[in-house]
Amino acid sequence: MAARRRRLKKKTRRQVQIWAAVAAGVALVWGAANWSTVWPVLVTVLAAAALGGSCWALLRAHRQAVGRDRAWRAQEEARARELSMTQVDALTWQEFEMYIAELCRRDGCRDVVVSGRSGDLGADVVGYLADGRKLVIQCKKYAAHRSVSSQDMQKFVGTARLEHRADVALFVTTCRAFTRDALGLALRQDIVALHRDLLGSWVKGAHLESLIPLNGTGGGTRLRPSAPGCPPGPGPSQGVNG
């Protein structure tokens, strides 16, 4: 049965090929007999096909160029942030706190005060946003590869509102990430977690109030919190403050 089916398929395929060859021959004979009518149509079809192919190639090349340009711009913006952050990294932790205060003043905050001392209960910078809400900031100047630990976040959570009556509590750091536990705690307790990439955007001119809703995410190179258990201990390029 299977062999008979294969023979039928082979026979049918041969018949289709024969009829296709006959049709092609008839078309060629007819085209030759009516060439004066056929050639303008043939030329038009070929020209349209060539034009369509050229347009498609140009469109594809344009899209690729736009994609490359966007990628280049994103890389340049990231590089510019890192160049600015290199200057921030050179600051002492005291200078870093003063610099954060200057960024707040630049964005319209008033009555901005820097603690500049230990035992400040997490309030390194205190001020008021333009709409009157009290802003309390914890500044941690850590090496870029480090992570803010949940212990650091717990200390700030415990004082930001109970001790300092913060309406907006901001934890800003020079390292690239918060641990998963630290970021989860920040989100649950409505603490704004500003890691290195978001800080870089702030340094480059982004307004503070546009960064507050991002809270630990944003268009940085590392969007997810790192695994727990990597506390930011002191290192050669790392200051400890607060």
Side-chain angles (χ1 to χ4, degrees):
M1 189 69 179
R4 181 181 179 185
R5 192 179 298 115
R6 284 196 296 270
R7 285 196 299 271
L8 286 174
K9 287 183 178 179
K10 187 175 180 180
K11 182 178 179 181
T12 302
R13 186 163 55 249
R14 188 181 303 114
Q15 289 175 344
V16 170
Q17 291 172 348
I18 292 171
W19 281 109
V22 170
V26 170
L28 288 174
V29 172
W30 182 86
N34 300 274
W35 181 246
S36 60
T37 304
V38 170
W39 77 263
V41 176
L42 183 61
V43 170
T44 302
V45 170
L46 292 175
L51 180 61
S54 299
C55 291
W56 178 83
L58 289 173
L59 179 61
R60 183 183 180 190
H62 172 70
R63 288 178 176 174
Q64 290 176 342
V66 169
R68 286 193 297 268
D69 181 69
R70 287 176 179 170
W72 176 82
R73 288 179 184 276
Q75 291 172 355
E76 286 298 303
E77 289 175 3
R79 189 175 67 86
R81 281 201 304 270
E82 284 302 314
L83 288 174
S84 298
M85 289 304 297
T86 299
Q87 298 172 350
V88 174
D89 289 337
L91 301 175
T92 66
W93 67 262
Q94 297 95 334
E95 292 170 337
F96 178 59
E97 291 179 0
M98 291 187 287
Y99 180 68
I100 293 300
E102 285 302 317
L103 290 178
C104 292
R105 296 186 185 101
R106 183 201 72 186
D107 289 347
C109 297
R110 56 184 176 80
D111 301 331
V112 179
V113 177
V114 180
S115 169
R117 58 183 175 82
S118 60
D120 53 19
L121 299 178
D124 296 320
V125 178
V126 178
Y128 293 87
L129 296 171
D131 58 10
R133 289 178 295 168
K134 187 175 183 179
L135 175 67
V136 176
I137 304 177
Q138 168 78 92
C139 302
K140 287 295 182 184
K141 188 175 181 295
Y142 289 151
H145 65 277
R146 294 285 185 170
S147 299
V148 173
S149 68
S150 60
Q151 288 82 1
D152 284 332
M153 187 61 69
Q154 287 170 17
K155 292 176 183 178
F156 189 48
V157 166
T159 60
R161 290 187 171 81
L162 291 178
E163 293 289 338
H164 304 295
R165 307 296 181 186
D167 296 309
V168 177
L170 179 67
F171 196 119
V172 58
T173 180
T174 51
C175 64
R176 291 199 180 279
F178 295 77
T179 64
R180 191 179 305 277
D181 289 343
L183 185 54
L185 181 60
L187 294 173
R188 291 194 302 273
Q189 298 296 327
D190 196 25
I191 304 294
V192 180
L194 210 67
H195 55 57
R196 183 181 184 87
D197 297 314
L198 293 178
L199 175 59
S201 296
W202 194 13
V203 169
K204 290 297 293 180
H207 198 282
L208 174 59
E209 296 208 32
S210 71
L211 298 173
I212 288 175
L214 298 179
N215 195 9
T217 60
T221 57
R222 185 174 184 179
L223 305 183
R224 296 181 179 178
S226 64
C230 184
S237 60
Q238 173 182 4
V240 179
N241 61 299

